[in-house]
Amino acid sequence: MHLMGIDFAPLNVPLARRLQTLAVFHHVSMFFFAGIFGTIYLTFLLITPFFWVTWLYVAWYIYDLGQSSRGGRRFELMRRLPLWNWLRDYFPCRIIKTSDLDPTHNYLIGYHPHGLMAIGAFCNLLTEANGFSRLFPGITPYLLSLKLMHYFPLYREYVMSLGVCDVSKESITHIMKGRGVAATIVIGGAREVLDAVPGVTRLTLKNRKGFARMALQTGCHLVPSFSFGENYLFRLLLDNTPGSFTRNLTQSITKKLGVAPAFFVGRGVFNYTFGIMPYRVPVTTVVGSSIEVEHTPDPTQDQVDSLHREYLSQLESLFYAHREACGYPNETLEFIDN
């Protein structure tokens, strides 16, 4: 139904699609609002007879604050919720494996592009929605995120239960003490949000070499991955082309806060015209072959640069080898500075 310039969803939407929308609404709400609402809720309890709940949680929070750097606190049940199957089917999300991962080694999976939510990383490389454990038997997945996410009360408990840890050096070093671990890093980070536009995939990767250094220091193999469709889930409202006023302003804010103030629009829960819900665009995550890395506790800059160049080459080859089959034959790839 079209009314006042808004395309509303019909009333007779099948139950399966309603469940898919519910799952995505849950994920988007948690991603954007759970941290703030958790803080407000605990603050509100202070003026109620349940004020003691907040003080108990504050004591726990202080004691447990560094857990996101010590492997988190994962619960397999959370990774296997039917909710993630509905989330998968909304877009839909799918994963393409190009080679096996040997469970006797550890891996750093580089995920590209960030988009606004890195939904492919969450759905395909963290949950069991597309059978990660079946595709990569013996591999335990982690998703590494901005440290800031783990400072929000209550929300930190939620993301850690899924297997999300922070992306600090301490965190990676701790995780890689085990065997058969695959930790996914969205290498482009918040700055890449500003380039989440169709047509040209710009990856903030040219000067980001910390992941290569960590791979050498921990001896874990590097695995490039690329999600086609990730940059098509939302539409940026302002001109963010390099050199524009908006780009310079948002980059300055991102540098100070660590998060990108992107102005975007998607669809709504009950309409197709505007809202904070992503569009129903297929997201296909292609996981490449691993790059063998020799354990080098104190790597030289030349060794880091060499591994970084090899990674970029493998990622570029992966992109152009699969872009047509994934529905983006004219998409191009660029590596840009921070």
Side-chain angles (χ1 to χ4, degrees), residues 8-86:
F8 288 95
L11 297 176
N12 59 341
V13 174
L15 177 61
R17 289 178 69 88
R18 292 188 184 277
L19 291 174
Q20 293 164 15
T21 302
L22 175 65
V24 175
F25 178 73
H26 160 81
H27 186 66
V28 170
S29 299
M30 294 298 289
F31 184 84
F32 288 120
F33 307 120
I36 296 173
F37 285 163
T39 304
I40 293 173
Y41 175 69
L42 289 172
T43 303
F44 170 75
L45 287 181
L46 287 173
I47 60 173
T48 74
F50 299 99
F51 65 90
W52 55 271
V53 173
T54 297
W55 289 118
L56 279 178
Y57 183 80
V58 168
W60 164 256
Y61 179 92
I62 295 172
Y63 168 78
D64 194 60
L65 188 57
Q67 188 61 34
S68 65
S69 299
R70 300 190 294 266
R73 189 178 297 104
R74 66 190 300 119
F75 295 100
E76 281 300 309
L77 176 63
M78 290 293 291
R79 294 182 55 250
R80 300 173 184 272
L81 291 175
L83 186 70
W84 312 135
N85 296 337
W86 302 335

Side-chain angles (χ1 to χ4, degrees), residues 36-318:
I36 296 173
F37 285 163
T39 304
I40 293 173
Y41 175 69
L42 289 172
T43 303
F44 170 75
L45 287 181
L46 287 173
I47 60 173
T48 74
F50 299 99
F51 65 90
W52 55 271
V53 173
T54 297
W55 289 118
L56 279 178
Y57 183 80
V58 168
W60 164 256
Y61 179 92
I62 295 172
Y63 168 78
D64 194 60
L65 188 57
Q67 188 61 34
S68 65
S69 299
R70 300 190 294 266
R73 189 178 297 104
R74 66 190 300 119
F75 295 100
E76 281 300 309
L77 176 63
M78 290 293 291
R79 294 182 55 250
R80 300 173 184 272
L81 291 175
L83 186 70
W84 312 135
N85 296 337
W86 302 335
L87 179 78
R88 171 200 64 202
D89 294 338
Y90 174 92
F91 299 96
C93 286
R94 66 188 182 109
I95 184 172
I96 297 176
K97 182 183 81 169
T98 62
S99 65
D100 295 329
L101 297 182
D102 185 347
T104 63
H105 297 296
N106 291 334
Y107 303 90
L108 273 182
I109 301 177
Y111 180 85
H112 314 274
H114 185 289
L116 264 77
M117 297 180 62
I119 193 67
F122 179 86
C123 189
N124 293 324
L125 302 178
L126 182 65
T127 75
E128 288 296 323
N130 275 316
F132 182 93
S133 295
R134 172 179 49 81
L135 290 172
F136 302 105
I139 301 295
T140 301
Y142 289 86
L143 180 60
L144 306 185
S145 69
L146 193 67
K147 182 79 171 180
L148 176 65
M149 291 179 60
H150 299 274
Y151 289 144
F152 288 109
L154 300 181
Y155 181 64
R156 65 184 296 273
E157 322 296 342
Y158 170 73
V159 294
M160 280 198 295
S161 72
L162 287 161
V164 180
C165 297
D166 68 65
V167 74
S168 65
K169 179 179 180 179
E170 179 187 357
S171 175
I172 297 172
T173 301
H174 187 281
I175 290 172
M176 294 304 166
K177 289 179 180 178
R179 275 290 171 263
V181 169
T184 298
I185 303 178
V186 187
I187 298 172
R191 295 194 182 191
E192 219 166 72
V193 172
L194 306 176
D195 290 302
V197 295
V200 180
T201 300
R202 297 186 179 93
L203 302 182
T204 308
L205 195 55
K206 187 178 289 186
N207 292 324
R208 297 211 169 184
K209 302 178 181 181
F211 71 98
R213 184 177 297 277
M214 284 303 304
L216 287 163
Q217 290 176 338
T218 60
C220 62
H221 297 346
L222 279 179
V223 181
S225 72
F226 190 93
S227 271
F228 294 92
E230 188 76 63
N231 280 349
Y232 290 73
L233 300 181
F234 296 92
R235 179 168 54 87
L236 294 180
L237 295 176
L238 300 177
D239 175 26
N240 273 321
T241 54
S244 66
F245 171 78
T246 305
R247 178 57 168 252
N248 293 335
L249 176 62
T250 51
Q251 275 191 334
S252 177
I253 296 173
T254 303
K255 186 175 182 179
K256 294 180 179 179
L257 301 181
V259 289
F263 299 95
F264 67 92
V265 68
R267 54 158 289 184
V269 176
F270 302 110
N271 77 84
Y272 304 129
T273 305
F274 67 90
I276 62 169
M277 295 277 287
Y279 299 118
R280 285 183 180 263
V281 175
V283 176
T284 304
T285 303
V286 184
V287 182
S289 301
S290 64
I291 302 169
E292 292 189 13
V293 177
E294 184 177 350
H295 186 204
T296 311
D298 189 21
T300 65
Q301 189 60 49
D302 286 343
Q303 289 173 311
V304 173
D305 291 344
S306 177
L307 181 57
H308 182 261
R309 284 193 299 269
E310 184 176 0
Y311 180 86
L312 263 59
S313 176
Q314 294 272 17
L315 176 61
E316 188 173 32
S317 297
L318 184 75

